[in-house]
Amino acid sequence: MLRTHTCGELRIKHVNEVVTLSGWVQGVRDKGSLVWIDLRDRYGITQITIETENASPEVIEMARSLGREFVISVTGKVVERYSKSDKLDTGDIEINPSGLILLNAAITPPFTIEDETDGGDELRMKYRYLDLRRNPVRKNLELRHRLAIETRNFLDKLNFLEVETPVLIKSTPEGARDFVVPSRMNQGEFYALPQSPQTFKQLLMVGGFDRYYQIVKCFRDEDLRADRQPEFTQIDCEMAFVEQEDILNTFEALVRHLFKSVKSVDIPTLSRMTYADAMKYYGNDKPDIRFEMKLTELNDLVKNKGFKVFDDAQLVVGICAKGAAEYTRKQLDELTDFVKRPQIGATGLVYARYNADGTIKSSVDKFYNEAELAKWAAAMNAQPGDLILILAGDENKTRKAMSELRLEMGNRLGLRDKNKFACHWVVDFPLLEWSEETARWHAMHHPFTSPKPEDIELLEVNPGAVRANAYDMVINGVEVGGGSIRIFNKELQAKMFGLLGFSKEEAQDQFGFLMNAFEFGAPPHGGIAFGFDRLCSLFGGAEVIRDFIAFPKNNSGRDMMIDSPSVIAQAQLNELGIGLKK
Amino acid sequence: MLRTHTCGELRIKHVNEVVTLSGWVQGVRDKGSLVWIDLRDRYGITQITIETENASPEVIEMARSLGREFVISVTGKVVERYSKSDKLDTGDIEINPSGLILLNAAITPPFTIEDETDGGDELRMKYRYLDLRRNPVRKNLELRHRLAIETRNFLDKLNFLEVETPVLIKSTPEGARDFVVPSRMNQGEFYALPQSPQTFKQLLMVGGFDRYYQIVKCFRDEDLRADRQPEFTQIDCEMAFVEQEDILNTFEALVRHLFKSVKSVDIPTLSRMTYADAMKYYGNDKPDIRFEMKLTELNDLVKNKGFKVFDDAQLVVGICAKGAAEYTRKQLDELTDFVKRPQIGATGLVYARYNADGTIKSSVDKFYNEAELAKWAAAMNAQPGDLILILAGDENKTRKAMSELRLEMGNRLGLRDKNKFACHWVVDFPLLEWSEETARWHAMHHPFTSPKPEDIELLEVNPGAVRANAYDMVINGVEVGGGSIRIFNKELQAKMFGLLGFSKEEAQDQFGFLMNAFEFGAPPHGGIAFGFDRLCSLFGGAEVIRDFIAFPKNNSGRDMMIDSPSVIAQAQLNELGIGLKK
């Protein structure tokens, strides 16, 4: 090894040992009689101190020639510092070098390698290998490593087997768009990259594997938003001979274990909320329950008082922002602007201040007297000092808008602390949702999700009312995982494909292998998949998953560092039997 | 859970407990007064015994209606067996069921779900989910899981970080053929699937990650041989601030740990052999050293005695097969046929029997008298009872042929026991090898491999003599891993690309990101990659890696189960901006 210790390792007990450290020059200070080098590696920083009176001329000359990010190896005695530093773990000691070897020089980096850098996003993406040297970026990936290994060991102890499923699979039109891979040996045919190992993990259950997991790359060729990557990672799991309750208990235990082992945080038993309640009380199927501020329907209280906006609305819904009665006009205008943004789409915002003196003043005083406003306040459990915010309009749109406003108020009131974690399950999702665009039913989860047995008879008469044995794990308003109990019966699976608009031939062509497998003794089974990038970012208290991926792509799906995708040679295209459209 | 215990769990201590088991019907025997069901899951088999005199009519009727591979759930009391079975871990007990629920029926499987099945390869590939139910196949994948998790925990303890590198990368013409992925968002451009994360792991070292590993899928679009898969898995590792010795010690420790923890086998410290010695003594850069039988060059002893075959040969080389002097004419003819097979390509085989009575008889007695033959025997340390086998011809071809003959003799003499493991390193590989076909130098390992510092000056004058800091780990004659110390200097890397026939522009275009990275303070680094599928098959005492992959592809790169690759819709092609060549 080109070192005896790391730059984060030496303590007072090492004093008088002769050691060799290797690393990067974080900085050099030259005071004439003393030259200091801060030597950095992944594990920390150690101060190298050269007393020019005592050191060899070679060492002094070398030290003075060093620039930032030069790679050096230093040999010398560990000595106790005169003035100790409590900013560094190694702050009690320093090294007096007897030898100093330049391993590699460095040109000036395009941005500073500091916790707070001056580099913009694009530059840091292009020089990702330099960005990775920064503590915050490296720590994110260390966290990711730790979460992965804790997940594996936890599941291993429960007899889960990690099984690698194939990456070169078959394209299916259901769901998102596939990335495809032309086959040279089977010209005119294509593999697809998996959007998830769904059918394979189900086949593992048919194959008697009983408990499966995999931390696995998945792929979706979607137009990218800021928080999406064309390749992403899932913790993918499946169990046989289980009911929904077993899955919830098993994976709730996993997540609580991760919080405990990685962050030393105790998470209480997860509460459960039906999809119906989530939509009713939070306007959202992944509510952030770090704070209350539930939605209250006000239709009964507000209609027929002459206020046309409310009278015409399908839904009038309010939230009570605790302690926000003294919001200024400016702040209220900001909230109005917020809800009127196209992404949110409300036409306006009604508010009522429940003042500390017990009076209530609203933006619709013309239509509602104080007694009526007092009824609103009572319905919402508002207290003096609270601010009531109300939206009205189309039911679904208004709930969604109110959910956004609720989260915004949570942010403004400091109720969404990134270091607090509220984890819960949302259960009883609808099996199907109607798409106006395609004028057919779509699977809310995926086509393999089982309806609740007691709802199966509704499949023919009222598909929209059928609830699924499907569940999402939600942490701080983020869906980190979702899954379902699966259909394991060929006829029911065929009926499901029929409801989703597949012809018998299409269903057989695309998923025949799975439906056939169900005929050979398929056990009841179910599973879950966690978005691992998202889970990492959540554990890291961050919002951008890109920061938790070693080599991410930008929003055009481009790897800026290696400059990919790129053109390939005509000979390659010829071998594959494909051509480019002009 | 649809069970309280697994089918492998119940023992005498559970007697009188009421339990529920779920699993597959391995078989039903009906003796009238007694009906037995062997119930199977991943963990074992438990006998269910129904006394028709005492059992409920429903249970009896259900039991008699069951077929092989039906999925059932059984509830009943654990009782001690009258006649215990020591073939099953659960052989001391059986279940008297009070309830028996059919979870799923099964049609007759296309082959028997037994350790020895009647299903051919193709059928088992098509119904892989049924093949996975067979103990030998499942055990292979359990072994794979165990090796993976032991690898991860071992490396984690040494501060290695598992970092996921991207799957959608950039196509480069050096090396094997890439699988490519058309980019929809960047039409006319393609991603490539990685043949290895080589450049990314080097960039992680430049990024200060210090110790990296990943168990990762890699891809090569090559014409497939029986033991190759288009997607395969590597244990990929890299370390910074190391020399070759450090890599060898670290990963030797990993493999010894795997043998110890997974197979309870103690592997001694690995011996090391230079590439030159491997070729000289075994004719092979991955010698099987479970047995000796080294190659002995005989040129000095055999030339100029009138035997034209030897006189004209560049190399005359022999092996001594211990105790094989009594090989029959038929056996010797078989060996001659073996070496004359086109894959081996020798023109003939010369032998000499060192008889137990001390006489020596050869197939070339016409040219060599017994005194001369005695010199051959002495050169090879042959003893009475041994058989000397000799090949002659072109040096490289003859060495290779003799290596094959040596392995064949090892097989015939029972010297290649699959339960014995001989692990060693082959080191000091040549950096470059000359290709007659392309009339240029090729990197023997890959273009990032560092020459030995003391050989760098030979690069310009005698490239073929330059040795690399490259090493392979060989177990039982199989190369399970290989790696090198890398170039970490831009100029040397550029010179290397020049030697390999890259123009400056090509090198910059394809690997500029790596060479540029070397300018920003790259540390000395090196690494290794293990072929994980191969390692698993070796640990499993098998030769076909396909048996250690859950869902393998056949030799045409086709997944027989899901029938992939397959045609995709014209709309998909249009979106990607590609068309099929007629």
Side-chain angles (χ1 to χ4, degrees):
Chain A
M1 298 269 178
L2 303 177
R3 62 187 175 202
T4 57
H5 297 77
T6 71
C7 295
E9 194 174 350
L10 297 172
R11 299 287 183 275
I12 200 79
K13 69 174 176 187
H14 296 99
V15 164
N16 285 326
E17 283 183 33
V18 173
V19 301
T20 300
L21 303 184
S22 290
W24 286 263
V25 173
Q26 180 73 25
V28 182
R29 282 162 299 149
D30 186 348
K31 298 275 179 189
S33 61
L34 287 171
V35 182
W36 292 278
I37 304 168
D38 279 341
L39 190 64
R40 185 197 73 229
D41 65 14
R42 174 182 136 198
Y43 310 93
I45 286 179
T46 300
Q47 181 167 285
I48 316 297
T49 305
I50 298 151
E51 297 171 348
T52 50
E53 202 164 296
N54 303 323
S56 79
E58 295 77 24
V59 166
I60 298 165
E61 192 190 351
M62 176 63 82
R64 287 186 164 145
S65 73
L66 296 174
R68 281 183 170 237
E69 301 306 318
F70 277 46
V71 185
I72 61 171
S73 180
V74 173
T75 299
K77 195 184 274 190
V78 182
V79 298
E80 185 169 359
R81 281 212 213 176
Y82 291 115
S83 60
K84 299 197 168 62
S85 161
D86 52 13
K87 286 185 193 154
L88 294 177
D89 292 337
T90 60
D92 287 351
I93 58 89
E94 60 193 4
I95 313 282
N96 288 162
S98 54
L100 201 166
I101 297 168
L102 178 65
L103 295 172
N104 215 343
I107 59 176
T108 307
F111 50 85
T112 56
I113 313 292
E114 308 270 4
D115 290 6
E116 299 287 330
T117 182
D118 56 355
D121 261 8
E122 204 148 313
L123 206 56
R124 293 194 294 117
M125 291 277 273
K126 179 165 180 191
Y127 297 94
R128 182 65 171 176
Y129 49 86
L130 296 178
D131 206 24
L132 290 172
R133 285 188 196 160
R134 296 172 53 239
N135 286 322
V137 181
R138 194 197 60 248
K139 285 202 164 87
N140 288 347
L141 290 160
E142 287 173 345
L143 172 68
R144 186 179 178 113
H145 163 76
R146 185 55 38 211
L147 283 169
I149 205 151
E150 289 291 343
T151 298
R152 289 190 162 104
N153 285 323
F154 181 88
L155 293 174
D156 177 55
K157 286 203 187 81
L158 293 179
N159 277 323
F160 282 79
L161 294 173
E162 183 158 32
V163 180
E164 294 173 58
T165 53
V167 176
L168 296 172
I169 65 164
K170 185 173 178 169
S171 189
T172 55
E174 179 72 16
R177 201 184 287 106
D178 286 322
F179 282 105
V180 297
V181 181
S183 168
R184 180 182 55 85
M185 288 207 279
N186 306 272
Q187 290 213 353
E189 299 189 330
F190 292 76
Y191 301 100
L193 304 182
Q195 296 182 30
S196 95
Q198 183 63 36
T199 49
F200 290 97
K201 69 176 173 173
Q202 292 194 240
L203 289 169
L204 285 172
M205 295 305 108
V206 176
F209 267 54
D210 203 75
R211 293 179 169 206
Y212 144 92
Y213 82 98
Q214 190 181 190
I215 300 186
V216 60
K217 275 280 175 72
C218 301
F219 306 86
R220 270 182 215 162
D221 185 12
E222 292 297 320
D223 296 325
L224 302 173
R225 298 193 305 241
D227 62 343
R228 280 223 188 140
Q229 288 279 319
E231 51 181 299
F232 55 97
T233 303
Q234 286 190 353
I235 305 174
D236 192 51
C237 309
E238 197 81 2
M239 301 172 82
F241 301 115
V242 289
E243 295 167 302
Q244 174 168 310
E245 191 64 21
D246 305 312
I247 305 271
L248 300 190
N249 290 335
T250 303
F251 292 97
E252 168 169 344
L254 167 64
V255 168
R256 293 173 73 196
H257 169 77
L258 293 178
F259 272 107
K260 185 68 182 173
S261 60
V262 177
K263 291 191 76 78
S264 302
V265 168
D266 284 296
I267 298 289
T269 308
L270 273 64
S271 60
R272 298 177 190 183
M273 188 185 294
T274 63
Y275 172 85
D277 279 353
M279 296 309 292
K280 180 172 178 187
Y281 294 119
Y282 300 93
N284 193 321
D285 63 0
K286 42 179 193 285
D288 184 350
I289 59 167
R290 277 175 297 186
F291 63 109
E292 189 82 354
M293 209 188 286
K294 284 185 186 169
L295 277 58
T296 305
E297 294 184 20
L298 298 171
N299 287 22
D300 292 348
L301 292 178
V302 303
K303 295 252 181 185
N304 305 316
K305 307 288 176 177
F307 183 39
K308 194 169 180 318
V309 172
F310 284 180
D311 286 347
D312 292 351
Q314 202 180 357
L315 175 73
V316 181
V317 67
I319 54 173
C320 169
K322 290 275 159 204
E326 301 201 352
Y327 257 39
T328 62
R329 180 78 224 174
K330 180 160 168 284
Q331 286 174 302
L332 290 165
D333 285 348
E334 281 169 13
L335 292 180
T336 306
D337 290 345
F338 175 84
V339 299
K340 284 169 127 176
R341 287 158 50 185
Q343 311 93 296
I344 303 199
T347 49
L349 174 68
V350 170
Y351 65 85
R353 285 200 183 87
Y354 197 160
N355 296 312
D357 62 7
T359 60
I360 308 184
K361 288 283 168 198
S362 82
S363 56
V364 287
D365 280 353
K366 202 156 73 172
F367 304 102
Y368 302 92
N369 61 31
E370 198 149 342
E372 281 164 329
L373 296 178
K375 285 187 197 159
W376 299 7
M380 286 194 236
N381 283 321
Q383 305 296 326
D386 294 350
L387 175 67
I388 290 167
L389 298 169
I390 300 175
L391 296 176
D394 164 78
E395 169 148 15
N396 288 336
K397 222 170 124 182
T398 303
R399 273 197 199 290
K400 212 167 152 260
M402 186 50 104
S403 169
E404 295 295 330
L405 179 59
R406 174 181 174 272
L407 294 173
E408 172 69 14
M409 286 310 297
N411 285 336
R412 285 172 177 252
L413 298 175
L415 304 173
R416 304 184 74 195
D417 180 348
K418 280 177 185 171
N419 296 310
K420 288 202 177 150
F421 298 93
C423 313
H424 65 121
W425 292 105
V426 177
V427 297
D428 295 356
F429 279 81
L431 183 68
L432 300 162
E433 55 186 348
W434 181 259
S435 161
E436 293 295 343
E437 198 184 324
T438 59
R440 69 165 175 91
W441 293 104
H442 284 252
M444 193 142 183
H445 194 60
H446 56 50
F448 314 107
T449 297
S450 175
K452 283 194 182 288
E454 61 269 34
D455 288 1
I456 286 183
E457 57 188 21
L458 292 172
L459 272 176
E460 316 251 349
V461 293
N462 186 3
V466 177
R467 292 166 306 158
N469 270 329
Y471 32 82
D472 279 354
M473 186 187 284
V474 176
I475 305 182
N476 292 1
V478 175
E479 180 212 320
V480 296
S484 63
I485 299 298
R486 323 300 183 186
I487 296 169
F488 67 109
N489 169 286
K490 184 175 183 173
E491 285 67 43
L492 184 56
Q493 187 65 68
K495 179 181 278 188
M496 187 69 185
F497 281 126
L499 269 171
L500 298 174
F502 285 64
S503 74
K504 269 193 182 172
E505 292 67 32
E506 285 167 345
Q508 188 60 36
D509 184 46
Q510 290 165 36
F511 296 108
F513 62 95
L514 184 66
M515 290 197 289
N516 294 346
F518 288 169
E519 291 200 302
F520 290 102
H525 62 286
I528 195 167
F530 291 91
F532 188 52
D533 310 293
R534 175 69 61 211
L535 193 70
C536 292
S537 73
L538 199 100
F539 268 73
E543 280 174 8
V544 184
I545 64 170
R546 205 165 62 189
D547 294 342
F548 293 79
I549 295 172
F551 298 102
K553 293 185 174 58
N554 73 7
N555 289 350
S556 315
R558 179 165 289 282
D559 183 323
M560 304 285 284
M561 183 183 71
I562 63 173
D563 193 22
S564 167
S566 59
V567 294
I568 61 174
Q570 186 60 44
Q572 260 175 302
L573 294 173
N574 292 346
E575 271 196 316
L576 295 169
I578 60 174
L580 301 180
K581 291 262 167 72
K582 300 292 177 282
Chain B
M1 299 273 178
L2 304 178
R3 63 186 173 203
T4 57
H5 296 77
T6 70
C7 295
E9 194 175 351
L10 296 173
R11 299 289 184 274
I12 201 79
K13 68 175 177 187
H14 295 98
V15 164
N16 284 326
E17 283 184 34
V18 173
V19 301
T20 300
L21 303 185
S22 291
W24 287 262
V25 173
Q26 181 72 26
V28 183
R29 281 163 298 149
D30 187 347
K31 299 274 178 189
S33 61
L34 288 170
V35 181
W36 291 279
I37 304 167
D38 278 342
L39 189 64
R40 186 197 73 229
D41 67 11
R42 175 183 135 199
Y43 309 94
I45 287 180
T46 300
Q47 180 168 286
I48 315 298
T49 304
I50 298 151
E51 297 170 350
T52 49
E53 203 164 295
N54 304 321
S56 79
E58 295 78 23
V59 166
I60 297 166
E61 192 190 352
M62 175 64 81
R64 288 190 163 141
S65 74
L66 296 174
R68 281 183 169 238
E69 302 305 316
F70 277 47
V71 185
I72 62 170
S73 181
V74 172
T75 299
K77 194 184 274 189
V78 181
V79 298
E80 185 171 359
R81 279 212 214 178
Y82 291 115
S83 59
K84 300 196 167 61
S85 160
D86 52 13
K87 286 186 193 154
L88 295 177
D89 291 339
T90 60
D92 287 351
I93 58 89
E94 59 192 3
I95 312 283
N96 288 160
S98 53
L100 201 167
I101 297 169
L102 178 66
L103 295 171
N104 216 341
I107 58 175
T108 306
F111 49 86
T112 56
I113 313 293
E114 308 271 4
D115 290 5
E116 298 288 330
T117 181
D118 56 354
D121 261 9
E122 204 148 311
L123 206 57
R124 292 194 294 118
M125 292 278 272
K126 180 165 181 193
Y127 296 96
R128 183 67 172 174
Y129 47 86
L130 296 178
D131 207 24
L132 290 172
R133 285 189 196 159
R134 295 173 52 239
N135 286 322
V137 180
R138 194 197 60 248
K139 285 202 164 86
N140 287 346
L141 291 159
E142 287 174 346
L143 172 69
R144 186 179 178 113
H145 164 75
R146 186 55 38 212
L147 283 170
I149 206 151
E150 288 292 341
T151 297
R152 288 189 162 103
N153 285 323
F154 180 89
L155 293 173
D156 176 56
K157 287 205 186 79
L158 293 180
N159 277 323
F160 281 80
L161 294 172
E162 183 158 32
V163 180
E164 294 172 60
T165 53
V167 176
L168 296 171
I169 66 164
K170 186 175 178 169
S171 190
T172 55
E174 179 72 14
R177 201 185 286 107
D178 286 323
F179 281 104
V180 298
V181 181
S183 168
R184 182 182 53 87
M185 288 207 279
N186 305 272
Q187 290 212 351
E189 299 189 331
F190 291 77
Y191 302 99
L193 304 182
Q195 296 181 30
S196 95
Q198 182 62 34
T199 49
F200 289 97
K201 69 176 174 174
Q202 292 193 242
L203 289 169
L204 285 172
M205 295 305 107
V206 176
F209 268 54
D210 202 73
R211 295 178 170 207
Y212 144 91
Y213 82 96
Q214 190 182 189
I215 299 185
V216 60
K217 274 279 174 77
C218 300
F219 306 85
R220 270 183 214 159
D221 185 12
E222 291 299 323
D223 296 323
L224 301 173
R225 297 194 305 241
D227 62 342
R228 280 223 187 139
Q229 288 279 318
E231 50 181 299
F232 55 97
T233 304
Q234 286 189 352
I235 305 174
D236 192 50
C237 309
E238 197 80 2
M239 301 172 82
F241 301 117
V242 289
E243 295 167 304
Q244 174 168 310
E245 192 63 22
D246 305 312
I247 305 270
L248 300 191
N249 290 335
T250 303
F251 292 97
E252 170 169 341
L254 167 63
V255 168
R256 293 174 73 197
H257 169 77
L258 293 179
F259 272 105
K260 185 69 182 171
S261 60
V262 176
K263 291 191 77 76
S264 303
V265 168
D266 284 298
I267 297 289
T269 308
L270 273 63
S271 60
R272 297 177 192 184
M273 188 187 296
T274 63
Y275 172 84
D277 279 351
M279 296 310 291
K280 182 173 175 186
Y281 295 120
Y282 300 93
N284 193 320
D285 63 0
K286 41 180 193 287
D288 183 349
I289 59 167
R290 276 174 298 186
F291 63 109
E292 188 83 354
M293 210 189 287
K294 284 184 186 170
L295 277 57
T296 306
E297 294 184 19
L298 297 170
N299 287 22
D300 292 347
L301 292 179
V302 302
K303 294 248 182 188
N304 304 316
K305 308 284 175 180
F307 183 39
K308 193 167 183 315
V309 173
F310 284 180
D311 285 349
D312 291 352
Q314 203 178 357
L315 175 71
V316 181
V317 66
I319 54 173
C320 168
K322 289 276 158 203
E326 302 199 354
Y327 257 40
T328 60
R329 180 77 224 176
K330 181 161 169 281
Q331 284 174 303
L332 290 164
D333 285 348
E334 280 170 15
L335 292 180
T336 306
D337 290 345
F338 175 83
V339 298
K340 284 170 127 176
R341 286 159 52 185
Q343 309 93 297
I344 303 201
T347 49
L349 174 68
V350 170
Y351 64 86
R353 286 199 182 91
Y354 197 159
N355 296 313
D357 63 7
T359 60
I360 309 184
K361 289 284 166 195
S362 82
S363 56
V364 286
D365 280 356
K366 202 157 70 172
F367 304 102
Y368 303 92
N369 60 32
E370 197 149 341
E372 281 163 328
L373 296 178
K375 285 187 197 160
W376 300 8
M380 288 192 231
N381 282 319
Q383 305 296 325
D386 294 351
L387 176 67
I388 291 168
L389 298 168
I390 301 175
L391 295 175
D394 164 77
E395 169 147 15
N396 288 337
K397 222 170 125 182
T398 303
R399 272 195 200 291
K400 212 168 151 258
M402 187 50 104
S403 168
E404 295 295 331
L405 179 60
R406 174 181 175 272
L407 294 172
E408 172 68 14
M409 286 310 298
N411 285 336
R412 284 173 177 251
L413 298 174
L415 303 172
R416 305 183 73 196
D417 180 349
K418 280 178 182 169
N419 296 311
K420 288 204 176 145
F421 298 94
C423 313
H424 65 121
W425 291 105
V426 176
V427 298
D428 295 357
F429 279 80
L431 183 69
L432 301 162
E433 54 186 348
W434 181 258
S435 160
E436 293 295 343
E437 196 184 324
T438 59
R440 68 165 176 91
W441 294 103
H442 285 253
M444 191 140 183
H445 194 62
H446 56 49
F448 314 107
T449 297
S450 175
K452 285 196 180 288
E454 60 269 32
D455 289 0
I456 287 183
E457 56 187 21
L458 293 172
L459 272 177
E460 316 250 349
V461 292
N462 186 4
V466 177
R467 291 166 308 158
N469 271 328
Y471 32 80
D472 279 355
M473 187 187 285
V474 176
I475 305 182
N476 293 2
V478 175
E479 180 213 319
V480 296
S484 63
I485 299 298
R486 324 299 185 187
I487 297 168
F488 67 109
N489 169 285
K490 184 176 182 172
E491 285 68 42
L492 184 56
Q493 187 66 68
K495 178 180 281 187
M496 186 70 185
F497 282 126
L499 269 172
L500 298 174
F502 285 65
S503 73
K504 269 192 183 173
E505 292 67 32
E506 285 167 345
Q508 189 60 37
D509 183 46
Q510 290 166 36
F511 296 107
F513 62 95
L514 183 66
M515 290 196 289
N516 294 345
F518 287 168
E519 291 201 303
F520 289 103
H525 61 286
I528 195 167
F530 291 90
F532 189 51
D533 309 293
R534 175 69 59 210
L535 194 69
C536 292
S537 72
L538 198 98
F539 269 71
E543 281 174 9
V544 184
I545 64 171
R546 204 165 65 188
D547 294 342
F548 293 79
I549 295 172
F551 299 102
K553 293 184 175 59
N554 73 9
N555 289 350
S556 315
R558 179 164 288 282
D559 184 323
M560 303 284 286
M561 184 184 69
I562 63 173
D563 193 23
S564 166
S566 59
V567 295
I568 61 174
Q570 186 59 44
Q572 260 175 302
L573 294 173
N574 292 345
E575 271 196 318
L576 295 169
I578 59 174
L580 302 181
K581 291 264 167 72
K582 299 292 176 284

